Amino acid sequence: MQIDLHCHSTASDGVLAPAALVARAFDRGVRLLALTDHDTLEGLEEARAAAQALDMQLINGIELSCTWGGATIHVLGYAFAADAPALLESIAALHDGRWARAEEIARRLAAKGMPGALEGARAVQQELGDSGNAPARPHFAEFLVRGGFVSDRAEAFRKWLGAGKLGDVKQHWPTLADAVGTLRAAGAWISLAHPWQYNFTGAKRRKLVADFIQAGGHALEVSNGLQPAEQVGSLSTLAREFGMLVSAGSDFHAPCDWSELGMYRPLPDDLPPIWGRFRDAHSAIAAL
C-alpha cells in the first residue's frame, strides 16, 4: 500500500530508528506515512528529515494512551500542530506516567520472583536505540525471555504482560474524552486505534465508538495489519452505521511475517478514508 498511518519506531516500542523506519517504508512503496509512536513526538524530527530526503510525505502522528470502561484504549492523532500547548502538556504527563507504569510493572514482576525487570527492560530498549522514554511491555517481554522466565515473547504477554494480566497497569492514563479533547485542541484528525483488539462484546464496542464520537473523534481504524477479514467487515459496518471516516495502517513494530510497513487488508471502496482530509493540507507537511 502507498499509505500507512500506523507504525512505531524506537522512540516508543518499535525496533527501527525513525530514519530507518522511513527508509524501509519507502522501499516498500509507502509514499504517505504517519509515524505514530506511543505518547511521544520524539521520533518525528528524525523521521521528517529522512522523508524529505526521499521526497516522501510524512504526517505528524501520535498514538495516545487513555482509559475507558476500565480498559486501556489507544487513539491516533494526525496532521496536528506539534507545538500545541495542550498536546505538549499531555505528552509530558504521559511521559511521567509511563515511567511510573514501568516501575510498577517491575515491582509486580519482582514480587513474583522476577527481579531486575526495569533495568533489564531498559537495557533491551537501549540496545535498539536510546530513548528518554520509559521501557514498554515489549521490552519487558524480551527481558523475561532472556532471564529464562518464559520461552518467548508470546508467553510473556500471555502469562504476565497482556490485557488483564499483572503487567497491564492502567492507572496513569487520561480518560478517552480527555485524550480526544487534547488532540482536537491541536487541530488533529483522530481515529480510534484497532477497535477489535480490546476484546469487548459487540455491545460494549458500539458504546466505545459512540463515546469516542461524542468526545469528538472522527474515524475508526478499520484495517490494522493483517487482522482477520471478518473483523475488517464488522468494523466497516460500524463505520457506515455511525457515518465515520476510516483509517488503516500496518501497526508495524518489527519486521515479521504478519507485520510489515504498508501491509494491511484493503479498505472497502465505499468508506471515506481519513487521509483524504489532510494529505494535501499544509498542516500535513508543516515542520515541527
Side-chain angles (χ1 to χ4, degrees):
M1 303 288 185
Q2 288 194 327
I3 297 168
D4 195 334
L5 298 186
H6 193 164
C7 60
H8 301 276
S9 75
T10 51
S12 61
D13 58 350
V15 303
L16 297 183
L21 184 149
V22 168
R24 187 179 186 90
F26 185 84
D27 287 345
R28 290 186 52 81
V30 176
R31 295 298 179 265
L32 176 64
L33 181 72
L35 176 62
T36 54
D37 276 313
H38 292 285
D39 306 320
T40 183
L41 304 178
E42 185 179 293
L44 285 184
E45 186 173 1
E46 179 183 328
R48 188 175 309 285
Q52 288 175 340
L54 294 169
D55 196 24
M56 177 181 177
Q57 192 174 8
L58 183 83
I59 304 298
N60 286 345
I62 193 168
E63 186 171 7
L64 288 184
S65 305
C66 54
T67 58
W68 178 89
T72 297
I73 302 296
H74 292 161
V75 291
L76 295 155
Y78 302 115
F80 48 79
D83 59 353
L87 179 59
L88 295 179
E89 290 171 12
S90 179
I91 289 171
L94 284 163
H95 179 274
D96 294 341
R98 279 191 168 270
W99 275 106
R101 173 185 185 240
E103 291 166 1
E104 177 62 14
I105 291 172
R107 186 192 68 77
R108 293 183 183 186
L109 291 174
K112 294 294 185 179
M114 295 169 279
L118 182 62
E119 296 78 10
R122 181 74 173 127
V124 170
Q125 181 187 33
Q126 288 177 315
E127 288 173 15
L128 296 171
D130 196 14
S131 166
N133 297 309
R137 285 184 294 172
H139 305 124
F140 281 100
E142 180 62 22
F143 159 76
L144 292 176
V145 173
R146 295 182 184 184
F149 301 112
V150 295
S151 59
D152 55 29
R153 290 192 181 198
E155 184 183 357
F157 275 88
R158 187 170 62 252
K159 291 181 65 174
W160 302 110
L161 301 171
K165 303 299 182 181
L166 174 143
D168 184 22
V169 179
K170 303 180 179 70
Q171 65 259 39
H172 303 295
W173 309 144
T175 66
L176 173 67
D178 286 343
V180 172
T182 293
L183 289 168
R184 285 189 67 93
W189 290 92
I190 310 161
S191 183
L192 181 62
H194 41 65
W196 208 273
Q197 289 187 17
Y198 306 123
N199 198 28
F200 292 161
T201 64
K204 189 170 183 179
R205 188 176 299 111
R206 284 175 54 82
K207 174 62 173 169
L208 168 62
V209 172
D211 286 355
F212 174 71
I213 293 170
Q214 184 175 14
H218 303 111
L220 281 187
E221 188 180 49
V222 165
S223 184
N224 178 272
L226 295 182
Q227 68 185 109
E230 59 268 23
Q231 293 179 11
V232 175
S234 294
L235 292 173
S236 297
T237 298
L238 267 181
R240 292 186 190 99
E241 180 181 344
F242 284 95
M244 301 179 74
L245 301 171
V246 295
S247 70
S250 62
D251 202 356
F252 174 84
H253 287 74
C256 61
D257 291 340
W258 51 267
S259 176
E260 253 302 354
L261 288 156
M263 187 171 71
Y264 52 85
R265 296 197 185 278
L267 294 173
D269 292 337
D270 65 309
L271 293 174
I274 194 172
W275 56 81
R277 303 300 177 94
F278 57 66
R279 69 175 302 173
D280 297 319
H282 174 74
S283 61
I285 58 174
L288 287 168

